[in-house]
Amino acid sequence: MKTKTIQARNLKRKQNTPLTLPEIPNKCYFTIGEVGVLCAVKPHVLRYWELEFTQLKPIKRRGNRRYYQMTDVLIARRIRKLLYDDGFTIEGARLQLQSIPLDPNKSAQTETDVKKMIADLEGILQKLKTQEISQ
């Protein structure tokens, strides 16, 4: 009886740890299967999210085939993070998405700015360490 409880706890812990998602390739359009792999969800989940989140709007072509653009993939990843990692409900995630607009260029720019700041701070730290040694 105790081993089942321990196994259940360990399984729950594994489910709560954030998943590292694969890097998004530089493409114009993605199929629903590709987006499912990039977001670690099944295609039926993406179709459900299209109903619940107005921001997620893939292009539909012949035979109702869905083609997602880069912004759609980023929105799907954000939805996944809000629902699975942050623990929001559908309604809560919807409100979060409405309050913070997604701009892929801005997030990439912010990431490079942060990396530059880290490099600058490491340089300052090295200078301070060399000053301490010389004194």
Side-chain angles (χ1 to χ4, degrees):
M1 202 57 128
K2 288 183 180 181
T3 57
K4 287 185 179 179
T5 307
I6 292 170
Q7 288 173 346
R9 280 190 207 140
N10 289 338
L11 181 62
K12 193 169 187 177
R13 283 187 194 135
K14 287 179 185 176
Q15 290 173 347
N16 289 341
T17 57
L19 181 68
T20 303
L21 298 174
E23 187 175 325
I24 302 171
N26 191 15
K27 292 173 46 174
C28 292
Y29 297 102
F30 300 88
T31 64
I32 193 167
E34 291 172 330
V35 177
V37 170
L38 292 172
C39 296
V41 295
K42 295 190 176 184
H44 71 270
V45 175
L46 290 168
R47 287 190 292 272
Y48 175 71
W49 287 353
E50 288 174 29
L51 299 173
E52 295 295 325
F53 299 95
T54 58
Q55 296 90 345
L56 192 60
K57 296 178 187 173
I59 298 169
K60 289 189 182 177
R61 298 287 169 125
R62 246 181 322 143
N64 261 353
R65 289 182 183 242
R66 292 166 168 82
Y67 291 98
Y68 292 81
Q69 294 179 344
M70 180 67 75
T71 54
D72 294 320
V73 176
L74 294 173
I75 290 170
R77 279 191 167 192
R78 178 142 171 89
I79 292 169
R80 185 197 186 288
K81 181 184 180 310
L82 290 170
L83 294 175
Y84 296 170
D85 298 340
D86 298 342
F88 281 92
T89 62
I90 296 284
E91 184 63 31
R94 190 180 301 131
L95 292 172
Q96 284 290 318
L97 279 177
Q98 289 171 353
S99 66
I100 302 170
L102 182 70
D103 183 5
N105 296 330
K106 185 177 180 182
S107 63
Q109 182 64 35
T110 304
E111 188 175 322
T112 54
D113 288 346
V114 168
K115 286 180 181 178
K116 185 180 181 305
M117 269 193 266
I118 289 172
D120 291 344
L121 289 172
E122 286 174 346
I124 292 169
L125 182 63
Q126 288 298 330
K127 287 180 182 178
L128 290 172
K129 284 182 179 179
T130 56
Q131 286 178 355
E132 286 180 11
I133 292 171
S134 64
Q135 291 177 358

